[in-house]
Amino acid sequence: MLVAAAVCPCPPLLVPEVAAGAAPELDAARAACTDALGVLAAARPDRLVVVGPVGGTGPETYPEGTRGSFRSFGVDLDVRLGAAAGTEGEQRLPYSLAVAAWLLGRTGWSDAPVEGLGVGESLTSERCAETGRDIAARAERVALLVMGDASACRTLKAPGYLDERAAPFDAEVARALGAADLAALTALDAGLAHELKASGRAPWQVLAGAAEGADLGGSLLYEDAPYGVGYLVATWS
């Protein structure tokens, strides 16, 4: 059963070494992510599953110890998912799960075994919910770290340019995450999310499926749109 969840954004800029001189601009987001992971630790889970967006359809699993890197962003920084040692030549973490691995390493996560799950942008709402239910059934006490960004169309300089639908979309997502509103998250329009470049849609819907019957309450810790991209941090417990 799902006992706790943390929702965090997944831009590589969250990693100070990647952001370089702009790193202070996301200090508040980093602090909120740290607080969110504290909620996961306090729940004393038997297993932590990290869910993040990937290319393709997915879902694709990443065992504990899987390595990731930020070298494609010009930074000599490697990460590893959880505490277990990985082996050379195995699969590599997608950037969303690499950011999660960095967050877990930064906070010294050692409270439960970790596994990663990548979900594709094209995964249907129904399949997302089914995936979430399967995750929740894996252990008596399951926690989720859910990575994903809201729209990337909040300003003229945003990656997706300005789209007037972006702010209302993000506001509804923020409300739903803060209220642990499963129905609202499940009802998110996959087509609209794609047009607004909201990478978190599928991971959020996995969360909604996992939380069915768990009776968790939500709290929104952070909401902003630096660089024209919606970043949200929330906890469910």
Side-chain angles (χ1 to χ4, degrees), residues 191-205:
L192 177 59
H194 173 73
E195 292 174 10
L196 297 178
K197 303 183 184 301
S199 68
R201 190 276 305 175
W204 299 330
Q205 291 183 328

Side-chain angles (χ1 to χ4, degrees), residues 82-93:
T87 58
E88 294 300 325
E90 63 183 10
Q91 66 191 131
R92 308 290 285 185
L93 294 173

